[in-house]
Amino acid sequence: MTLLLLALVPGSAAAERRMALVIGNDAYDQVPRLEKAVADATAIAETLTAQGFETITATDSSRRQMNRSISEFTGQLQAGDTAVLFFAGHGVEIDGENYLLPTDIIAPASGERDFIKSESIALSALLDRIRATGARTTIAIIDACRNNPFQNTTGRSIGGARGLGRITAPQGTFVIFSAGAGQLALDELTEDEVAENSVFTRLLLPRLAQPDLELRTLVADLRTEVRDLARSVNHQQFPAYYDELLGDFYFARASSSVQETLGPDNATTDHMRADFDLARSIGTPEAIQVFLDRYTDRKDEFTYRMALQLREKDESDTRLAPEQEPDPAAQEPDRKTIIRETQAALNAAKCSAGSADGVPGPRTRQAFQRFITDTGAALKATDLGTAKALQAIRQSGSRTCNAQPAAQPDAAVSRAQPAGFNIAGNWQFRASCPLFIKTTGTASYTRTGPNSFRGTVNDSLGQSATTLVTLTGRKMKFVLNWATVTTYASGTLAADGRSYSNVASNGCTATAWRVS
């Protein structure tokens, strides 16, 4: 696919540099100190660096130090580069202008608005400085929409009671605020929450690392999740954005060699091809139809015609199927017999497959996956209904579903060895996937070791999976065994252990929170 795309793109433009300036201020001298701004900046800087950005990071910076970092940043930018700015700290809107505050800002006396202006960094002036370098694309992410720090409350704003004001973004610039005009951005959902990052940043982080997630899609999903999470504690927070960007933008690129040669129009075409590849890999008529419905305005393109051919072939195969000579080795009665005997064998192995009716329903598939997971059998989910799988179950001997350490109660495991974070319990989640698929659902986990868990996942699309989760500190690794496919995901658990976010190998992003 990469070679095909390169062949279709005439010439090869040099890849632009991707640079980022990340600033986080907690340790204010004369206004309320913050607790999460430096952690937010550190996490953002690490994520951007991992995506290939040359990153300048400044934390707890005075006005002179902020100006020095800004000068270093703009001094390295060149025409055609991509520039990303992230600021977490106190902010203020005065007379229609937004100002970013250094740590040595002095609490002004009444009426000293001009003093604050002169001692702060005007956001519009900073964006103009970046634009003057000739940078082709500027992305500014500002997490500074907090309460007025001069009212002796925790937060990040001065001038008005809370929040930053609207902004006019220069051409080629995309600006994201962590809350809407006049809104308060939450650092935490509850007073006893000890999450490391603010609500906005903790939901932003996994999206920055998701391959082929276009900026506008990223922001649309992010705004909805922030709004819904804030509503769960009866708070209004809906991030604002101001779009003057030319073309598409991706923080994470699945194939740098392709992205470096694609202009805005070709990048859109590549996105269409990526969706086609996804629909074809899913392989169902419904997936192909979703693709065709999405790109109905581009019927003349080669990729669309290929999808039409696939749909026509599926329809042709369906019409011809009853007239085809049946293969004795694949007749349904034989497979149904194997399924029935497999269900009986799974029940004998204490894997709870349900009644031996010959129908490979969700319970049978889950029991088969449980057998594979618990016994370590060299089988795949797609082996269900084969003689090989039936023989393996019958020959399992003492290796049964409840003969593994996984069946030990949590308390026994805890007494055996010290444990780290404990995600055992019931969770709810919200996920966004390619092709505009969104789903909600539940997950339940039980501890199988000091830092390992087994669970079940059920979503609103009627799908279910068994899952294995491994924790290393707060880093999470997931293996999810669905009925016909296995997916992998990585994520981060919040410091309080009550929420996490992850990104899966199929492109889905999810946020989960504990309910019991």
Side-chain angles (χ1 to χ4, degrees):
M1 186 66 178
T2 299
L3 293 176
L4 173 61
L5 284 172
L6 290 175
L8 291 174
V9 180
S12 178
E16 84 282 0
R17 294 169 67 221
R18 288 154 57 93
M19 298 194 62
L21 172 61
V22 179
I23 301 173
N25 289 339
D26 276 339
Y28 284 89
D29 296 333
Q30 295 194 27
V31 298
R33 297 169 67 94
L34 301 174
E35 296 180 355
K36 300 183 187 296
V38 169
D40 286 351
T42 301
I44 291 291
E46 291 175 351
T47 302
L48 291 177
T49 300
Q51 302 310 318
F53 284 83
E54 299 177 40
T55 306
I56 297 172
T57 305
T59 57
D60 289 334
S61 298
S62 65
R63 181 174 180 271
R64 175 174 293 183
Q65 291 167 336
M66 282 182 64
N67 276 320
R68 183 177 292 118
S69 297
I70 292 168
S71 295
E72 179 185 357
F73 180 59
T74 56
Q76 295 183 32
L77 284 171
Q78 299 178 8
D81 285 351
T82 292
V84 171
L85 167 68
F86 177 87
F87 176 83
H90 278 308
V92 54
E93 183 269 320
I94 302 176
D95 299 333
E97 175 63 88
N98 297 305
Y99 295 88
L100 311 180
L101 305 187
T103 57
D104 59 350
I105 188 71
I106 298 175
S110 176
E112 290 186 331
R113 300 162 67 86
D114 290 340
F115 174 77
I116 292 295
K117 294 179 183 180
S118 64
E119 293 296 310
S120 306
I121 307 297
L123 178 58
S124 62
L126 175 53
L127 295 178
D128 286 341
R129 287 178 63 179
I130 294 174
R131 185 186 180 195
T133 67
R136 181 172 63 88
T137 299
T138 301
I139 312 296
I141 305 172
I142 310 300
D143 190 4
C145 306
R146 298 295 189 270
N147 277 331
N148 188 334
F150 294 105
Q151 295 177 343
N152 294 320
T153 60
T154 59
R156 299 184 192 175
S157 69
I158 293 185
R162 58 176 57 174
L164 297 178
R166 300 179 183 275
I167 187 173
T168 301
Q171 186 179 47
T173 301
F174 195 107
V175 180
I176 310 166
F177 287 162
S178 58
Q183 290 183 341
L184 170 69
L186 294 174
D187 268 349
E188 60 271 326
L189 295 172
T190 61
E191 291 183 358
D192 58 351
E193 183 184 77
V194 291
E196 183 176 348
N197 299 116
S198 68
V199 171
F200 172 81
T201 299
R202 77 180 72 163
L203 295 176
L204 170 65
L205 282 167
R207 288 174 164 82
L208 297 182
Q210 182 177 339
D212 292 337
L213 181 61
E214 204 280 322
L215 177 62
R216 294 170 183 87
T217 302
L218 181 158
V219 171
D221 292 342
L222 175 65
R223 297 176 78 209
T224 300
E225 281 209 54
V226 171
R227 180 197 63 191
D228 292 348
L229 202 56
R231 282 179 176 175
S232 70
V233 292
N234 298 317
H235 181 78
Q236 295 298 318
Q237 178 180 350
F238 195 42
Y241 73 95
Y242 306 89
D243 182 6
E244 292 296 333
L245 200 61
L246 303 175
D248 294 342
F249 179 81
Y250 302 84
F251 280 102
R253 300 179 291 192
S255 174
S256 59
S257 59
V258 174
Q259 291 288 347
E260 288 169 0
T261 58
L262 292 176
D265 294 338
N266 286 327
T268 303
T269 302
D270 182 57
H271 195 64
M272 178 181 181
R273 292 191 184 108
D275 284 348
F276 174 65
D277 287 343
L278 175 64
R280 184 168 55 180
S281 68
I282 294 173
T284 64
E286 292 79 8
I288 295 296
Q289 190 59 52
V290 168
F291 172 84
L292 291 171
D293 292 342
R294 177 178 181 181
Y295 291 102
T296 185
D297 59 334
R298 301 170 67 179
K299 295 181 178 180
D300 294 334
E301 297 193 26
F302 174 76
T303 306
Y304 193 92
R305 296 198 301 271
M306 285 286 292
L308 282 175
Q309 291 179 18
L310 284 178
R311 185 180 67 177
E312 292 168 1
K313 180 178 183 301
D314 287 339
E315 292 173 350
S316 175
D317 290 345
T318 300
R319 289 193 299 269
L320 292 175
E323 303 174 4
Q324 294 174 348
E325 189 69 26
D327 180 0
Q331 291 186 37
E332 181 62 24
D334 289 342
R335 184 173 186 274
K336 189 169 185 177
T337 298
I338 293 176
I339 291 291
R340 186 182 297 115
E341 293 178 358
T342 298
Q343 290 168 326
L346 287 170
N347 287 332
K350 301 181 180 180
C351 298
S352 301
S355 60
D357 55 7
V359 178
R363 185 171 179 180
T364 299
R365 294 195 298 270
Q366 291 176 9
F368 184 60
Q369 185 58 58
R370 192 179 306 119
F371 173 81
I372 295 173
T373 301
D374 287 7
T375 66
L379 297 171
K380 302 186 295 295
T382 53
D383 289 330
L384 178 62
T386 65
K388 179 180 72 171
L390 176 58
Q391 182 180 14
I393 298 170
R394 285 175 170 172
Q395 294 178 349
S396 62
S398 61
R399 295 186 304 153
T400 60
C401 286
N402 69 344
Q404 305 302 311
Q408 298 175 5
D410 287 354
V413 175
S414 299
R415 288 193 299 269
Q417 47 191 324
F421 285 94
N422 185 4
I423 65 168
N426 298 312
W427 299 69
Q428 291 182 350
F429 68 84
R430 182 184 301 109
S432 299
C433 300
L435 293 179
F436 302 116
I437 297 173
K438 295 183 182 295
T439 182
T440 58
T442 60
S444 297
Y445 302 111
T446 57
R447 189 190 289 277
T448 61
N451 294 299
S452 59
F453 301 82
R454 177 181 293 109
T456 57
V457 177
N458 297 280
D459 68 20
S460 56
L461 301 177
Q463 303 178 111
S464 59
T466 59
T467 180
L468 300 175
V469 185
T470 304
L471 283 174
T472 304
R474 293 194 290 112
K475 299 299 182 183
M476 310 177 73
K477 296 292 183 183
F478 299 78
V479 179
L480 297 109
N481 296 295
W482 303 92
T484 59
V485 68
T486 298
T487 58
Y488 303 87
S490 59
T492 303
L493 183 69
D496 63 353
R498 299 195 61 81
S499 64
Y500 66 78
S501 57
N502 65 23
V503 179
S505 55
N506 60 3
C508 296
T509 61
T511 301
W513 56 97
R514 183 187 291 276
V515 293
S516 63

